[in-house]
């Protein structure tokens, strides 16, 4: 078994052109900048607008990134959809391209589904992909998906598929849940990623492996630095600095705010575009965001993602 | 402009074979039985497990039904997905096949989206499909989608696209909302369908056009009879009988319960199968459901959907 992926990953924001089509050139550029700043690529996460992309669009983009010289060992694309065959197709494709793992949402249209139904779903995906290289990171994000990935479900999946079930991204925002995951499953080699850098230090101190965070798109070097030096004396101060930047972004709708920051620091207004049902920040919102960030000395050095 | 579709429609349950693949033969059989009992075909609704199907699967199934001799003027397939290009593709395909209309979910992954974002989404779909035959029925089902289709949004869409925006299915379960839709929009030719037969009589009495209901899969003739004779003296008694059957199904998870009834009265156990994350009824649940129904003299006469 190859080395597991760890550290800080960004759910890479997806650029769209004037026709709202995904823009692979700009995407590859942003991926390179993230990697150069120590951050891995959780392409097709919630903050990537992945669920606004079709299956074919996702496969095309992943291939473009994978064939651009980016190391697939640094990639953990999202592959979970509402429909079993789509999830199988995306997952098998990511494994075939050599990705380190996949981040898998539960099917999220039908609400109130049972753990038995979710178990059958994940088990069926793993069986159908049928590849010993598959590493699944379960995606627990109840505020958005409305479908929790419970501890008993994880326990059952781990028992049945100890190699394929590699870890979890906990975006519940509930540290008690992350802590319970760490205590119960980390000792058996199950990798817990916090869903934001707010919990990065706490997660690492309790045996977690890193974080997968929206704001790693814009503040990668500083988040990576804390992950690398979490045992240093000034770790708590570093955490506090990360929290300040994150809280500035959180005053706005996150995805358009991230894209606005990328647009500004790459001097490339095309980056601000989002796909409906999302909407861009208004001009006053953008001005406030950028002024707030500049007031904190924030910038995105070296960013140049234009095609 | 051709005659609008009205009356009772069933979100047709989707049969799966032992490999969990959709079974077009059984589906066509069930469609024929529904039509023979006066009920139209809202294929790919919530109760069709449509959101557990891939885009290609939905297009294949729709073609199979449309080329089997079923009149497309009796079809209102669901075409709303999370992703703009998928929704456009499914919608254009349904229009090309001559379907009377499409039932369109809002994009449902991202929560708390604005009416502005939803307006842009629906407008973009209508523009991209670009076909004067398109008739969109907006699908308001907040308990599942978590994304309401608000009255101000409908008003704005109707103003911009008075021909394409044809109506709504209100599955809120909130009669006050249905009534508000009827009062505000029905006078301008906007067709309001109740989301279940529980509101059929009230909806018709206030100017609505019918209902699109899960239980129309199993109790089509009686629901159709009320819709046809809603001005008759015994309409309230008919409504009461419909409610009794519906409430029996509602004691169980709806989709597996519907399929269990079809399996039983067609003597075809294959019909009971569901796709994960759903699970079939347990044997005791099935026994209770069928005993309850038989105790009420319920049956599904003429059902024979085997391939």
């Amino acid at each position: 078994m190859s080395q597991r992926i760890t550290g800080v990953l960004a759910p890479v924001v997806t650029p769209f052109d004037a026709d709202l089509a995904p823009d692979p050139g700009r995407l590859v550029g942003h991926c390179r900048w993230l990697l150069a700043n120590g951050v891995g690529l959780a392409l097709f996460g919630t903050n990537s607008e992945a669920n606004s992309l079709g299956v074919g669009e996702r496969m095309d983009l992943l291939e473009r990134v994978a064939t651009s010289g980016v190391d697939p060992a640094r990639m953990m694309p999202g592959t979970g959809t509402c429909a079993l065959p789509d999830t199988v197709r995306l997952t098998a494709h990511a494994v075939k391209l050599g990705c380190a793992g996949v981040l898998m949402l539960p099917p999220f249209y039908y609400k109130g589904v049972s753990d038995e139904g979710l178990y059958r779903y994940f088990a069926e995906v793993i069986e159908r992909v049928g590849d010993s290289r598959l590493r699944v990171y379960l995606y627990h994000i109840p505020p958005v998906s409305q479908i929790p990935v419970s501890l008993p479900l994880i326990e059952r999946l781990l028992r049945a598929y100890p190699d394929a079930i590699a870890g979890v991204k906990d975006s519940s925002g509930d540290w008690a849940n992350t802590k319970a995951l760490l205590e119960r499953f980390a000792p058996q080699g199950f990798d817990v990623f916090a869903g934001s850098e707010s919990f990065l230090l706490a997660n690492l101190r309790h045996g977690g492996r890193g974080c997968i965070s929206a704001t790693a798109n814009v503040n990668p070097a500083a988040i990576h630095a804390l992950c690398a030096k979490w045992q240093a004396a000034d770790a708590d101060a570093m955490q506090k600095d990360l929290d300040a930047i994150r809280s500035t972004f959180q005053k706005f709708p996150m995805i358009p705010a991230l894209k606005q920051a990328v647009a500004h620091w790459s001097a490339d207004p095309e980056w601000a575009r989002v796909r409906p049902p999302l909407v861009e920040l208004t001009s006053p919102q953008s001005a406030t965001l950028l002024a707030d960030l500049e007031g904190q000395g924030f910038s995105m050095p070296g960013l140049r993602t234009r095609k």
Side-chain angles (χ1 to χ4, degrees), chain A:
Chain A
M1 195 171 103
S2 59
Q3 184 90 10
R4 291 270 188 88
I5 191 167
T6 60
V8 180
L9 289 91
V12 187
V13 285
T14 305
F16 295 108
D17 68 18
D19 198 35
L20 296 177
D23 180 337
R26 282 184 170 85
L27 180 65
V28 168
H30 192 54
C31 287
R32 290 209 173 109
W33 182 78
L34 291 170
L35 290 168
N37 283 278
V39 158
L41 309 173
L43 294 145
F44 314 127
T46 296
N47 286 283
S48 314
E49 296 171 80
N51 299 99
S52 299
L53 300 172
V55 169
E57 289 180 324
R58 287 161 77 148
M59 290 171 69
D60 288 347
L61 283 174
L62 192 64
E63 271 179 49
R64 287 292 292 266
V65 174
T67 57
S68 71
V70 167
D71 182 3
R74 300 290 289 144
M75 289 160 62
M76 186 202 287
T79 61
T81 71
C82 290
L84 181 66
D86 288 349
T87 301
V88 170
R89 197 163 157 226
L90 289 172
T91 304
H93 181 249
V95 172
K96 197 178 148 209
L97 289 174
C99 294
V102 298
L103 186 57
M104 201 177 289
L105 276 169
F108 52 83
Y109 182 69
Y110 297 99
K111 304 303 187 293
V113 296
S114 63
D115 272 5
E116 172 65 25
L118 291 172
Y119 176 82
R120 290 187 195 179
Y121 178 91
F122 286 117
E124 194 70 34
V125 172
I126 293 166
E127 300 281 357
R128 289 185 183 217
V129 171
D131 192 312
S132 63
R133 295 170 296 172
L134 172 63
R135 294 292 172 271
V136 174
Y137 296 84
L138 301 162
Y139 191 1
H140 178 60
I141 182 169
V144 185
S145 68
Q146 309 278 325
I147 305 295
V149 179
S150 73
L151 273 69
L153 172 61
I154 295 172
E155 179 141 45
R156 192 172 161 198
L157 283 166
L158 261 176
R159 209 158 44 226
Y161 304 102
D163 293 327
I165 299 293
V168 70
K169 176 187 180 189
D170 184 359
S171 293
S172 64
D174 172 12
W175 170 247
N177 189 69
T178 311
K179 198 155 167 284
L181 288 165
L182 287 162
E183 285 167 3
R184 189 137 152 204
F185 303 121
Q188 55 190 288
F190 180 81
D191 293 340
V192 176
F193 290 84
S196 98
E197 74 275 27
S198 314
F199 300 104
L200 177 56
L201 190 52
N203 191 44
L204 294 169
R205 283 175 176 163
H206 287 79
R209 308 308 301 263
C211 70
I212 304 172
S213 177
T215 38
N217 273 289
V218 290
N219 197 22
I223 303 176
H224 169 66
L226 174 57
C227 195
K229 302 175 208 162
W230 65 275
Q231 290 169 303
D234 61 345
D236 287 286
M238 293 171 79
Q239 177 72 65
K240 207 173 153 189
D241 289 346
L242 298 185
D243 293 348
I245 296 300
R246 182 174 179 89
S247 71
T248 301
F249 279 93
Q250 283 183 316
K251 289 177 199 157
F252 303 91
M254 181 59 84
I255 298 170
L258 295 172
K259 287 185 147 182
Q260 188 56 56
V262 175
H264 177 75
W265 273 286
S266 63
D268 180 2
E270 298 287 312
W271 256 107
R273 200 172 284 121
V274 292
R275 235 183 208 182
L278 302 188
V279 294
E280 292 79 18
L281 297 192
T282 63
S283 296
Q285 283 178 317
S286 292
T288 307
L289 169 69
L290 297 172
D292 276 11
L293 289 170
E294 285 170 347
Q296 293 172 78
F298 177 88
S299 73
M300 295 175 69
L303 188 65
R304 195 184 303 124
T305 68
R306 223 178 290 200
K307 281 195 265 203

